[in-house]
Amino acid sequence: MQLEGLLIELLEDYQVLPFDTPAALAWGRYVVEAGRPLPVRDSIIAATALANNLEVVTENTGDFAGVDTVNPLKD
């Protein structure tokens, strides 16, 4: 139950975006344009950000080529 409580708190402050049709289409374009194998999770995060005109907040900005990113430790 402790994890469920933490999730409920997170959902009060943050919106969870679905991996929907626009994100799936963006994912396909993103993977093809990369021209190399990409980690599935990172590429899904990138595609979801692209489909929703969002930035990815990450320390590993190099993992998200072609996506607007913010590094909270540097920016």
Side-chain angles (χ1 to χ4, degrees):
M1 290 304 251
Q2 185 178 10
L3 286 176
E4 184 178 349
L6 290 172
L7 177 60
I8 290 169
E9 286 181 32
L10 276 171
L11 293 174
E12 290 173 0
D13 294 329
Y14 299 98
Q15 179 183 6
V16 176
L17 298 174
F19 186 70
D20 55 9
T21 301
L25 293 170
W27 179 79
R29 288 189 299 271
Y30 187 70
V31 170
V32 168
E33 289 174 9
R36 61 182 173 81
L38 296 172
V40 173
R41 290 181 184 146
D42 286 351
S43 62
I44 288 174
I45 292 167
T48 302
L50 290 168
N52 290 280
N53 298 312
L54 299 171
E55 298 172 322
V56 174
V57 179
T58 179
E59 295 176 37
N60 300 314
T61 57
D63 291 344
F64 295 93
V67 180
D68 291 334
T69 58
V70 174
N71 182 335
L73 302 180
K74 292 185 180 180
D75 297 334

